Amino acid sequence: MSPLTMLAAVFTPGTPKPTISMESIAVPIPSRNEVLLKGEVVDVGEDVSKEYYSDGSIWAVHGPNACGHCGQCRRGHDNRCVGNRLQFGLGRGGGYAEYIAVPASSLVKIPEGVPVEIAAVVTDAVLTPYHALKTLGNVRASDRVLVIGLGGLGLNGIQVAKSLGGFVVGADINTSKFDLAKQLGVDQCIDSTDQKAMDALGGFDVVVDFVGINATFQLGIKMLKSGGRHISVGLSGKEFSFNSKALLIQEGSFQVAYWGTSWELREVLDLVAAGKIKPQVEVKPLSEVIQCLEALREGKVLARQVVVP
Ligand SMILES: [Zn+2]
């Protein structure tokens, strides 16, 4: 029997700025096709088999909350679902709470050997680089891969690209991140403001931009070799500009990555279980989520933070 109330971070839109506060709110009641989740399934809606979820398995949630029947979902692109369902934490209750109600169709079983706090990071900060590099970038063994931006996603991007067999160079303006990148397997790190050194690198088959500003976009396009793919993951919402000849002459391509599919989430959880990707996390109590967000805003987080109830 679940308690009636739970601790949750509540976001309130407003001016001059929105607020977020820790509050005691009602535990959500799962609707017909939903389950109530606290790592394991603790309650189910009337159309969901309680028996199926009664073995104590721990579940991850595929964040896009895909409908499963729109054209994009039917083609296997459930990260692009156009079923107009609200995403968790974006219009409906998210993960900064002790319990969450989600459609049973959004659950992906966490394989044995993957700690729950690692799986939490995999659902976004590993899944997104995996989708960008494997599916969109089509990275193959011996491909030259440039990862721009060595933050939480970029460090996972390095490991994904290495697991796919690429020769991986990491670029950032902050050289203090290079030691950790090297521990995680990057072949070479480079200060992206050092133009001479960048020019000496030669071209890349795949460039993934985890920063997403005009300067990194232009840098990425410039670093592509013939037929290269530029994938943008981080997006600042600002406009990009470039000379189209830069892509035209060498038949390069530019694509934007959005999250990842539920199938990719299963694949990448298996890679983590096999020890091929080791996400870096700092674990904090749920009650400190506001301080965690402040630290993130101030650029004090090297990899990814996870809050646990
Ligand atoms: Zn859909």
Side-chain angles (χ1 to χ4, degrees), residues 66-74 78 80-83:
C67 72
H69 50 74
C70 73
Q72 292 293 342
C73 283
R74 287 203 308 272
D78 59 7
R80 304 178 191 164
C81 177
V82 291

Side-chain angles (χ1 to χ4, degrees), residues 130 157-166 168 271 276-277:
Y130 185 73
I158 283 170
Q159 298 181 75
V160 169
K162 287 304 297 177
S163 77
L164 296 169
V168 184
L271 282 174
K276 294 188 175 170
I277 300 171

Side-chain angles (χ1 to χ4, degrees), residues 3-231:
L4 296 175
T5 59
M6 65 177 184
L7 182 66
V10 177
F11 176 83
T12 309
T15 49
K17 60 179 187 178
T19 59
I20 186 165
S21 55
M22 298 307 297
E23 296 180 18
S24 178
I25 64 170
V27 172
I29 297 168
S31 59
R32 298 181 73 101
N33 65 341
E34 291 184 345
V35 301
L36 183 66
L37 200 62
K38 187 178 186 180
E40 60 185 296
V41 171
V42 295
D43 197 6
V44 299
E46 56 190 284
D47 289 350
V48 180
S49 162
K50 195 164 197 167
E51 198 180 350
Y52 182 79
Y53 294 102
S54 64
D55 66 354
S57 293
I58 306 294
W59 300 85
V61 177
H62 182 236
N65 192 14
C67 72
H69 50 74
C70 73
Q72 292 293 342
C73 283
R74 287 203 308 272
R75 291 185 189 93
H77 304 302
D78 59 7
N79 59 320
R80 304 178 191 164
C81 177
V82 291
N84 290 324
R85 293 183 14 166
L86 294 173
Q87 295 178 354
F88 310 115
L90 298 170
R92 60 173 287 166
Y96 294 165
E98 291 178 90
Y99 296 84
I100 183 173
V102 300
S105 57
S106 290
L107 296 180
V108 173
K109 192 179 279 192
I110 299 173
E112 276 189 33
V114 179
V116 68
E117 61 271 20
I118 297 293
V121 166
V122 173
T123 58
D124 183 7
V126 186
L127 175 61
T128 303
Y130 185 73
H131 176 67
L133 284 151
K134 178 171 184 277
T135 305
L136 303 185
N138 195 24
V139 171
R140 302 287 174 89
S142 78
D143 271 358
R144 286 170 53 81
V145 180
L146 177 64
V147 172
I148 301 176
L150 300 178
L153 268 70
L155 291 169
N156 290 326
I158 283 170
Q159 298 181 75
V160 169
K162 287 304 297 177
S163 77
L164 296 169
F167 176 84
V168 184
V169 176
D172 202 295
I173 56 173
N174 183 352
T175 58
S176 70
K177 297 174 177 176
F178 291 178
D179 281 347
L180 181 54
K182 284 171 185 166
Q183 287 170 34
L184 297 174
V186 74
D187 293 293
Q188 187 179 343
C189 282
I190 190 154
D191 177 350
S192 53
T193 62
D194 185 343
Q195 197 55 56
K196 262 192 182 169
M198 292 298 294
D199 289 344
L201 281 174
F204 288 84
D205 300 284
V206 179
V207 174
V208 181
D209 177 5
F210 288 98
V211 181
I213 59 175
N214 193 35
T216 54
F217 171 72
Q218 296 209 32
L219 173 67
I221 295 291
K222 186 180 170 191
M223 298 305 293
L224 285 182
K225 71 183 198 186
S226 185
R229 282 93 63 201
H230 178 113
I231 317 293

